[in-house]
Amino acid sequence: MSPPSRRNFLRWVNVLSVSLYAAGLLAAEPASPVPVDSYDVCVYGGNASGVMAACAASKEGAKVIVVEPSRWLGGMTGGGLMHIDWGREEAVSGSTRPILKKDYNDAQYRAVFAEMLKSAGVTVLFEHRVGAVEKFGGVIRTISLDLAPFDETGCPPAAPTKAGARVVAAKVFIDCSYEGDLMARSGVAYTFGREAKSTYGENLAGAQPPMSVYAIDPYVKAGEPQSGLLPGLQSTPVAPVGEADKLTMGYGFRWRFVFKGESLPIDPPVNYDPKQFELYRRAFQQGVDILSGRVLRGQLDGWEKSGGRVYSGGAGNLARALFAPTNYGHNARYPDGDYATRAQLWKEQQDFVRGMTHFLRTDPSVPAKQKEIALSAGLEKGAFDDTKGYPHQLYVREARRMVSDYVVTQKDMEGKAALADSVGLASYGVDEWPYATVALDGKVALMGGYYSMLYLEEKNRGIYQIPYRSIVPKMAQCKNLLVPVCVSASHIAMTSIRMEPVWMILGESAGVAAAMAVKSGQAVQDVPYADLQPKLRALHQKLDIPKKKEPTQK
């Protein structure tokens, strides 16, 4: 058959277009194409790790853009994490160390990060999140970004204001987001939840027995399971001890509470319903101690009591007890959830504390001391004034985890791995928070969250190396992506890695490697470690485990 003439071809295209329009499959006026912004390196996520990655890549000569979904830089460093856990101080190095040594407040961290990016000549695009990834031959070509501004109290929206608002092309991408959204959309293998003990031979892995059990009837109608669970409890199946599940340790906000002087108000949510707090009402009415939990510190058989609280000055941290400023287990759908799911969970986490505050202030069942604290609590001025005092970063302790050629596991933490491609050190102990609030034998159980700063290797004081192989995907999956936050690690290892100083260190190392890949045109997996290592040492990154100092002889 001979090919159609140009006239017949154009007639055919016109007929097809009319048919598609009539069927509603083609817009009457095609949208104007979105211009493509081109860079050497695109860093997705402007948290502390992302800032370090961008500045490092720029200093190596790359043209860099940071894409940050919110309006703020720093993530948790500047988003409420006032007391930043270092682990072992001698493990924190590179450009991270002098920044954190300043011990800034939230607003100061955000300002410092903004100045760092400005001085490095890095472009920053706020209020955009990744919608789609164009990938060809194992290489990310472009990412399509949706405009999706956060709301007045610092929570992300369920739907974007404008889908496909911007398109960014880059030679190398670095996913520094807490959730690993760019990684996931790029077809890179990942997991979430807890592996079984047998997966990597980790004796600390898998589901654990209840951390605490409270003598509160868990059902809407006491003693009647068929009536359903009280609000705040999940119908999550409890996995056998040591087996895998898809639960993730509790999230929350690092609130900036104050109890004297001027403050911003904690108003109840518009949908406040006192029935949502029936679990706590029953506890108060029946004299059940929900302020107690238990926590493991330092050694496998070293139980210590932990105190429950909704409010704490300064750090505004959670508590390993039923009485806490979060609903443990509520975040189970977050790690692999879509934007609408996550937006709902952010708002519900925020509304939990707002509603709890109103409940503690007004309900007759509340003990006088707790009512007094709630009545005096407000939100600190100066930290998050543009969001009415509410923190703008949910504390996502752990979400997705990449699965690459090297998975950091408990054996690394125990000093049983010898690595030749270290890009930084980690040192915090195993540090968990509860995973679920469930009905168990007619009572309420808080599941997991056993370990707090459990150092596993005495000789090296718990300090261990993170290899380059764990921050790059498998070659067959993506050749121009680095992942310094959602690194390739088991859950047990991530309970330690997940500290901001470690993510900052890994971000800086990733930025250097990204710029090297741009210059050489190589896949990130092929960046020669022999060339990367001296560049990292020039930045004062510690790559080797420091020797333990022996006591001075008298």
Side-chain angles (χ1 to χ4, degrees):
M1 180 183 294
S2 60
S5 66
R6 173 179 168 80
R7 178 180 295 177
N8 288 336
F9 176 75
L10 292 175
R11 183 183 296 119
W12 177 82
V13 170
N14 185 57
V15 170
L16 178 62
S17 298
V18 171
S19 300
L20 289 172
Y21 171 67
L25 300 176
L26 190 68
E29 295 184 14
S32 300
V34 178
V36 178
D37 299 315
S38 297
Y39 293 86
D40 293 326
V41 176
C42 173
V43 177
Y44 185 71
N47 55 25
S49 180
V51 171
M52 303 301 289
C55 289
S58 181
K59 290 173 184 176
E60 286 291 317
K63 180 184 178 185
V64 184
I65 184 172
V66 169
V67 178
E68 167 51 41
S70 75
R71 299 190 293 275
W72 307 275
L73 294 170
M76 283 306 300
T77 306
L81 197 64
M82 281 293 294
H83 174 69
I84 296 175
D85 291 316
W86 288 50
R88 304 301 192 191
E89 184 175 341
E90 62 267 39
V92 180
S93 61
S95 303
T96 298
R97 187 180 182 87
I99 295 170
L100 297 184
K101 287 289 281 186
K102 297 289 187 181
D103 197 22
Y104 296 118
N105 63 32
D106 293 300
Q108 288 171 330
Y109 272 123
R110 298 195 297 268
V112 166
F113 290 141
E115 181 56 36
M116 286 173 60
L117 293 174
K118 180 181 178 181
S119 298
V122 174
T123 300
V124 182
L125 178 62
F126 289 110
E127 299 186 328
H128 285 74
R129 64 193 185 194
V130 61
V133 173
E134 181 201 9
K135 186 177 165 192
F136 181 76
V139 174
I140 302 170
R141 301 296 187 187
T142 63
I143 59 173
S144 177
L145 302 169
D146 301 338
L147 175 64
F150 280 41
D151 69 13
E152 62 180 3
T153 58
C155 292
T161 301
K162 183 179 180 180
R166 300 283 290 270
V167 175
V168 171
K171 297 173 183 175
V172 176
F173 292 81
I174 307 175
D175 187 351
C176 289
S177 66
Y178 293 126
E179 296 85 0
D181 284 337
L182 176 55
M183 172 192 72
R185 284 167 173 77
S186 301
V188 170
Y190 65 87
T191 188
F192 61 94
R194 296 185 286 186
E195 294 93 353
K197 289 184 177 183
S198 59
T199 303
Y200 296 117
E202 300 172 303
N203 70 326
L204 299 181
Q208 301 291 334
M211 189 188 81
S212 295
V213 179
Y214 303 89
I216 308 168
D217 192 293
Y219 304 114
V220 174
K221 291 184 179 179
E224 298 183 18
Q226 66 274 17
S227 66
L229 295 171
L230 287 176
L233 276 77
Q234 299 100 41
S235 56
T236 305
V238 177
V241 173
E243 292 302 309
D245 61 28
K246 285 300 181 183
L247 298 180
T248 301
M249 69 178 97
Y251 298 168
F253 291 95
R254 279 295 188 95
W255 298 86
R256 304 296 298 159
F257 294 121
V258 291
F259 305 95
K260 294 180 180 179
E262 286 190 274
S263 64
L264 298 170
I266 306 174
D267 296 321
V270 293
N271 60 346
Y272 173 75
D273 181 357
K275 293 179 182 178
Q276 294 296 310
F277 300 95
E278 177 63 23
L279 178 65
Y280 305 94
R281 182 181 294 109
R282 288 185 185 180
F284 291 143
Q285 289 174 338
Q286 298 166 18
V288 178
D289 181 12
I290 58 174
L291 274 72
S292 291
R294 57 179 184 172
V295 60
L296 188 69
R297 294 184 185 275
Q299 52 187 353
L300 283 172
D301 57 353
W303 286 108
E304 291 184 7
K305 284 271 187 176
S306 64
R309 62 182 181 276
V310 172
Y311 313 98
S312 62
N317 202 1
L318 303 186
R320 286 178 174 86
L322 186 60
F323 194 58
T326 191
N327 174 211
Y328 286 115
H330 175 267
N331 59 310
R333 294 179 297 133
Y334 189 94
D336 213 27
D338 59 19
Y339 288 129
T341 298
R342 292 195 194 146
Q344 176 188 352
L345 294 178
W346 275 58
K347 186 59 69 176
E348 288 177 358
Q349 285 280 4
Q350 189 183 86
D351 285 350
F352 179 83
V353 170
R354 297 173 66 184
M356 176 69 88
T357 296
H358 192 66
F359 168 76
L360 294 174
R361 287 172 175 174
T362 60
D363 197 89
S365 68
V366 178
K369 181 178 179 180
Q370 296 304 324
K371 180 170 290 189
E372 180 184 353
I373 295 172
L375 286 168
S376 67
L379 298 174
E380 180 184 298
K381 284 189 172 183
F384 309 109
D385 290 354
D386 57 346
T387 50
K388 301 184 177 181
Y390 295 99
H392 55 248
Q393 176 62 61
L394 182 65
Y395 195 175
V396 179
R397 286 181 160 89
E398 176 187 14
R400 297 182 177 107
R401 302 186 304 278
M402 182 168 65
V403 180
S404 190
D405 288 330
Y406 191 96
V407 180
V408 182
T409 67
Q410 184 178 329
K411 71 178 181 181
D412 293 273
M413 302 174 68
E414 292 172 338
K416 296 178 181 178
L419 304 175
D421 59 341
S422 171
V423 287
L425 303 178
S427 66
Y428 211 76
V430 177
D431 187 54
E432 292 186 306
W433 290 84
Y435 296 82
T437 311
V438 302
L440 187 68
D441 300 328
K443 299 179 181 179
V444 172
L446 205 56
M447 304 303 297
Y450 268 31
Y451 308 116
S452 177
M453 291 184 66
L454 179 66
Y455 291 103
L456 300 183
E457 211 284 316
E458 180 62 29
K459 180 180 177 182
N460 295 328
R461 303 183 68 236
I463 301 172
Y464 57 100
Q465 298 168 306
I466 307 295
Y468 184 66
R469 287 165 291 166
S470 70
I471 68 169
V472 294
K474 295 180 179 180
M475 174 79 86
Q477 294 175 359
C478 193
K479 300 175 184 177
N480 66 331
L481 176 68
L482 293 106
V483 186
V485 173
C486 296
V487 300
S488 179
S490 70
H491 161 69
I492 286 296
M494 187 60 86
T495 65
S496 166
I497 292 171
R498 67 179 182 82
M499 300 300 162
E500 292 283 295
V502 178
W503 283 338
M504 292 171 73
I505 290 166
L506 297 180
E508 184 167 37
S509 294
V512 175
M516 292 175 64
V518 169
K519 289 178 183 178
S520 66
Q522 293 174 301
V524 293
Q525 292 86 354
D526 288 336
V527 170
Y529 184 72
D531 296 336
L532 175 60
Q533 185 189 59
K535 288 181 176 291
L536 300 184
R537 292 199 187 281
L539 293 170
H540 305 290
Q541 291 279 48
K542 289 186 178 180
L543 308 177
D544 302 313
I545 298 172
K547 293 181 179 179
K548 184 177 180 181
K549 293 181 180 179
E550 298 298 332
T552 304
Q553 295 293 327
K554 293 185 178 180

